[in-house]
Amino acid sequence: IVFLLLTGCGPTLSPTSITEVICPPVLFSSDHGRYIGADSQQISIDNLTFEAAINNAVFLEGCQLEDNNFSSNLSLLFIAKPLNISQEIINLPFYVAILSLNDDILDIQYYTTTGMFQKNIDTQEFEALEIRENVLISNKSQEEGGKIVVGFMLDEKRMEILN
């Protein structure tokens, strides 16, 4: 009787189905692959403080479907180069888009990563900065043969300056 009371009142858990799948290719947006920072809200070519680029992306532990939902940890590498640093701490807003076979957007996830420029002890100049960011990609809509696109979130003025 005690056994029935202990098991009869708990929630029933259904088994989770996990399947390893081939990871989709990760592409960097040609239009949003670079980012520039400025020391004021009114960004111009004269007040740029740093430039950054997406350098690399790799799935850390492979890719899987868990109960038919795509899931994987994606590690991104950003490289930022100082131009005219006024603040050592920088923020890089970026997105990860999941595309279908026909390049339709299935999902977009938005992120921000932060880094801090360091000075070279000998020259007292700021050095290039590597920022690594791990993001969990999770989507119910990931279809086999789709792809992932990574890019920076750019406003019109940044787009104008970069082009």
Side-chain angles (χ1 to χ4, degrees), residues 9-68:
C9 296
T12 304
L13 299 175
S14 60
T16 301
S17 168
I18 298 176
T19 306
E20 295 294 320
V21 295
I22 295 173
C23 294
V26 179
L27 308 172
F28 305 142
S29 172
S30 58
D31 293 336
H32 304 132
R34 295 185 310 140
Y35 187 83
I36 49 177
D39 59 6
S40 74
Q41 293 287 28
Q42 298 296 324
I43 188 170
S44 73
I45 195 84
D46 299 322
N47 67 356
L48 298 180
T49 57
F50 70 91
E51 62 181 337
I54 305 163
N55 185 272
N56 199 6
V58 63
F59 289 103
L60 293 177
E61 300 154 0
C63 298
Q64 61 189 16
L65 291 176
E66 186 172 338
D67 291 333
N68 291 320

Side-chain angles (χ1 to χ4, degrees), residues 141-156:
S141 305
Q142 177 63 30
E143 60 185 53
E144 199 169 322
K147 57 190 150 239
I148 294 178
V149 176
V150 180
F152 288 109
M153 291 184 281
L154 302 172
D155 56 29
E156 288 180 27

Side-chain angles (χ1 to χ4, degrees), residues 104-151:
D104 295 322
I105 297 173
L106 301 175
D107 188 29
I108 299 180
Q109 299 168 13
Y110 299 97
Y111 303 92
T112 300
T113 189
T114 303
M116 189 166 112
F117 284 109
Q118 302 289 325
K119 284 188 176 182
N120 179 300
I121 295 172
D122 297 328
T123 65
Q124 291 300 305
E125 297 288 325
F126 286 104
E127 297 180 324
L129 170 65
E130 291 184 358
I131 302 171
R132 288 177 178 79
E133 183 73 26
N134 297 331
V135 294
L136 175 64
I137 306 298
S138 180
N139 189 330
K140 296 178 184 176
S141 305
Q142 177 63 30
E143 60 185 53
E144 199 169 322
K147 57 190 150 239
I148 294 178
V149 176
V150 180

